[in-house]
Structure formats: C-alpha cells, structure tokens
Amino acid sequence: MNEYSTVIGMDLGDKKHHFCVLNQYAEIEQEGTVTNSRAGLKRVFSGYEPSLIAIETGTHSKWVSSLLEKLGHKVLVANARKLRAIYSNERKCDRLDAEMLARLARSDPKLLSPITHRGDEAQADLSVIRSRDSLVAARTQLINHVRGVVKSHGERVRLASAASFHKVAREVLPGALRPALFPVLEIIEKLTERIKEFDRDIERLCKNKYPETELLRSVSGVGPLTSLCYVLTLETPQRFTKCRNVPAYIGLVPERCQSGNSDPQMRITKCGCPHLRRLLVTSAQYILGVHGPDTELRQWGERLMARGGANARKRAVVAVARKLSVILYRLWGGGTLYDPFPNAPEEDALNSPTEAGPEQTAELTGALVAT
C-alpha cells in the first residue's frame, strides 16, 4: 500500500499546470490549475501535507520537481514515452491526464517508469555541447542553401570541409548571386568561429573538470566531444549494475514485439539522448572507415559486414556503436586505458613492437571488449 495518504497527479503545461488530488480512498478530493511559476507552485502546494506527486518528463519537469521536493513532497517524474495509457486515451485532455498520473502513482509507481534528472552542474555543462550542436545544424542548413542556389545557376561549389566552406564558396560565387549569398557566407564564417570556441571550451572542460574523459579518448575515434557527452549523460560509472544496460539506456538496442511464434526483427528503440547516440554512431563509422585503425572491435564489425544482406554496413555500424558504449563504460568504471586487442594471445602481446611497460601492461589488460 502507498505510504502517502494523498497522491497528486500534475500535467505540466507551458503557461499553467492541471493537477488532480486523490485522497486515501482513491477518490478525487480536488482538481484545479496552477500558474507555471515558482510563486504559483509554492502558493498551492505548500498548503499540502507531504504527498506523492507524479509529473511527466518535459521542459519544466526538472525545476518543478526540484521545487516540489524542497516543499517536502515526494516527486515521481514519469517517462512520457512509456505512458501509453495517457497518450493513447481517446478522451485525452490535460485534466484527465493529471487524474491518470495520480491513479497510476497510487496503484504502482513502477507503471510510470520514473526517471532521475541530472544534477544542475552536469546539466549546465551539457548545455555547452547542445549549443554547439545547434550551431553545427544551423551552419549545415546554410551551407546546403548556398550549394543549392549556386547549382541552380549552373555553377558548383567544390567539396570542402564545413570550416573552410565560406572561403571556397567566395571564389566561385557568380556575380549575380553575390548580393544574396555574401551575407549568408559571412554568417557561416561567424558560426564556424563560434563553433571553434565551443570546441576549446569542451577541451577545457575535459581537462579541468572531467579528467576521466581521457580514458574514453584512448579509444580511436572517440574525441573530447563524444567522451564529454558520454560522461555527462551517464553522470556516474556506477549508474548501472551491468554494463550491458548502457546500450538500452542510449537507445541502441532493437525493439521487441514478440507474441507466440512471432518475434520479428525490429529497429533500434532510439530512446535516451539522441545526441550521444549520434556521436557514438559517428565514432563507429570512423572505426569501420578507411582511416580507422586495426583493432579487435574493427575486425568484429568487418565480420558483421561480410555476412552481407540488406543494409549490412548500417547494421554493422549500429552494432559497433552498441559495443562501443559498453567498452567506454568499462573503461570509465575500471579506470583503465583501452587495449585494442584484449583477447590477443599472450605471446603476440609480448612480441608486439609497441609493447607497454609492466605497469602499463597490467593496466591495459583490464579493458575488455564486450562480446
């Protein structure tokens, strides 16, 4: 039985929140709305005895849950992706959503698949990465715009990196298009400068606040951006009891829809942080690419590609990204550097021209590739 006599469900909105209060007999005691402000929430919920309050994940869920906990309440932040009983309701509205949250929290809080928000410091540092990602997306859109307009006039901007695109485009820009596209190129140049500043900020964060990212960067293809995003997203190497739970948290495991003898192959769930998932896939593409070094992980991915079939390379990239997420978690938790051939025969390791010293050898053997 629930230890709280009063259970409150609250559907968060941008301007106001709808809430529903259930008493100890699961009867509706009060319904209403509260303005989306700290003063409004304090005015309404400071008058209740310590209660169990259920809300959904969203833009306002972090600061709202923190405020309610300071008022003495127990807050459950429900995973909105899991609440099919709410988003599939044929009579869906904010008032009924609040009631449904309250009833689910009263019957069994596990039905809400509650999540835990990151700390304020990690959230602030993660905002640096997300701001950089937004600028990169904006720059990519502008570059595609310039290329498209130039092509429509019979010219073509040669291949160039995004960082040097504005220089290359200025050389081939037709005179008739200069008034329209020169301002765009100036914006692209400024975005590139700002992105480089973010890269330097990320380097400083890795070095000064998160030195553990150095362990993750020992894997070829994992740089400061990926390692920092990984550490900030998971926050602690003790988050999971099993390292194999990491891919599921990031959304790199296949969905499942098994019933009777039917168990079709599904796409990955794509739950969790999309930015981290994209960075891990990018690292996996590098590992399997032309410039990727020869490692046990690369060889494993190449064997998957050799099986052939539709989208063999895409499947292999996702599989390598999934295994990479496990490797990084083991390196982080074990405090060891990456060994590209952890399962190599002992005599091969001893005869290797790049053999490490005795202390380093003991340290490297701790990093095992997940199988």
Side-chain angles (χ1 to χ4, degrees):
M1 186 176 178
N2 200 306
E3 60 178 299
Y4 295 93
S5 60
T6 302
V7 178
I8 303 173
M10 184 161 59
D11 185 77
L12 303 183
D14 196 48
K15 295 183 178 180
K16 62 181 179 179
H17 312 312
H18 288 258
F19 66 92
C20 175
V21 182
L22 299 181
N23 59 23
Q24 57 184 335
Y25 305 108
E27 298 173 344
I28 297 178
E29 187 176 274
Q30 182 183 0
E31 288 183 305
T33 60
V34 55
T35 57
N36 183 25
S37 66
R38 295 180 182 275
L41 289 169
K42 288 180 179 179
R43 183 176 61 254
V44 173
F45 292 101
S46 60
Y48 287 94
E49 61 182 10
S51 307
L52 179 64
I53 302 180
I55 62 177
E56 283 185 286
T57 54
T59 304
H60 303 286
S61 60
K62 177 172 173 48
W63 72 266
V64 169
S65 61
S66 178
L67 176 62
L68 293 175
E69 286 174 350
K70 290 179 180 178
L71 295 176
H73 302 290
K74 169 68 175 177
V75 182
L76 293 175
V77 184
N79 188 343
R81 291 171 57 97
K82 304 289 186 178
L83 298 181
R84 188 176 184 87
I86 290 180
Y87 64 76
S88 295
N89 192 342
E90 295 179 353
R91 298 178 58 240
K92 187 181 184 311
C93 67
D94 294 340
R95 182 181 62 81
L96 293 179
D97 290 352
E99 180 182 350
M100 182 64 73
L101 282 170
R103 295 196 180 281
L104 289 173
R106 170 166 287 282
S107 59
D108 186 357
K110 290 185 178 180
L111 294 174
L112 299 174
S113 300
I115 61 98
T116 302
H117 284 295
R118 299 182 187 89
D120 293 336
E121 187 175 4
Q123 194 74 20
D125 292 337
L126 197 59
S127 297
V128 175
I129 296 177
R130 290 174 175 169
S131 295
R132 180 193 181 277
D133 186 55
S134 297
L135 294 185
V136 171
R139 182 178 65 178
T140 301
Q141 185 176 7
L142 292 177
I143 288 175
N144 291 338
H145 167 71
V146 173
R147 287 190 180 277
V149 173
V150 172
K151 281 183 181 180
S152 67
H153 283 71
E155 300 291 341
R156 187 181 295 270
V157 180
R158 64 179 174 85
L159 290 178
S161 65
S164 59
F165 176 82
H166 60 280
K167 300 177 183 178
V168 175
R170 286 194 179 104
E171 299 174 357
V172 298
L173 209 61
L177 295 179
R178 290 178 179 272
L181 295 184
F182 248 73
V184 179
L185 293 178
E186 290 178 355
I187 294 175
I188 293 175
E189 183 177 7
K190 292 179 180 178
L191 287 174
T192 299
E193 294 174 357
R194 182 61 64 179
I195 290 170
K196 291 180 180 178
E197 291 180 8
F198 273 126
D199 288 338
R200 290 191 288 269
D201 292 339
I202 290 171
E203 285 275 9
R204 283 193 293 269
L205 283 172
C206 288
K207 182 178 180 180
N208 300 330
K209 291 184 64 176
Y210 304 97
E212 61 270 28
T213 56
E214 190 68 26
L215 299 172
L216 279 58
R217 292 168 64 180
S218 63
V219 181
S220 181
V222 177
L225 180 62
T226 303
S227 60
L228 182 61
C229 186
Y230 189 93
V231 168
L232 291 176
T233 301
L234 272 63
E235 278 200 285
T236 171
Q238 290 78 37
R239 186 182 187 105
F240 302 103
T241 56
K242 295 182 179 180
C243 59
R244 295 183 183 277
N245 293 333
V246 178
Y249 177 75
I250 301 173
L252 286 170
V253 297
E255 296 178 350
R256 194 169 187 192
C257 187
Q258 187 269 337
S259 178
N261 294 327
S262 175
D263 193 5
Q265 190 173 30
M266 308 285 286
R267 295 178 178 270
I268 58 175
T269 61
K270 293 186 178 181
C271 63
C273 178
H275 192 193
L276 177 58
R277 185 168 58 253
R278 186 168 65 252
L279 289 173
L280 289 173
V281 169
T282 301
S283 297
Q285 289 172 336
Y286 174 82
I287 291 172
L288 293 176
V290 177
H291 303 291
D294 185 26
T295 63
E296 191 172 285
L297 181 59
R298 176 187 173 93
Q299 293 175 2
W300 180 78
E302 289 175 339
R303 289 196 295 270
L304 292 181
M305 287 192 292
R307 296 178 183 176
N311 300 320
R313 179 175 177 80
K314 290 183 179 180
R315 293 173 183 269
V317 167
V318 173
V320 169
R322 180 164 55 243
K323 181 171 284 194
L324 179 61
S325 68
V326 176
I327 293 173
L328 296 179
Y329 194 74
R330 287 183 170 178
L331 296 178
W332 186 15
T336 56
L337 295 175
Y338 175 61
D339 181 3
F341 291 98
N343 298 316
E346 185 177 353
E347 58 272 15
D348 291 349
L350 293 175
N351 296 328
S352 173
T354 58
E355 180 187 354
E359 297 82 7
Q360 292 174 320
T361 302
E363 184 180 42
L364 292 175
T365 53
L368 300 178
V369 175
T371 56

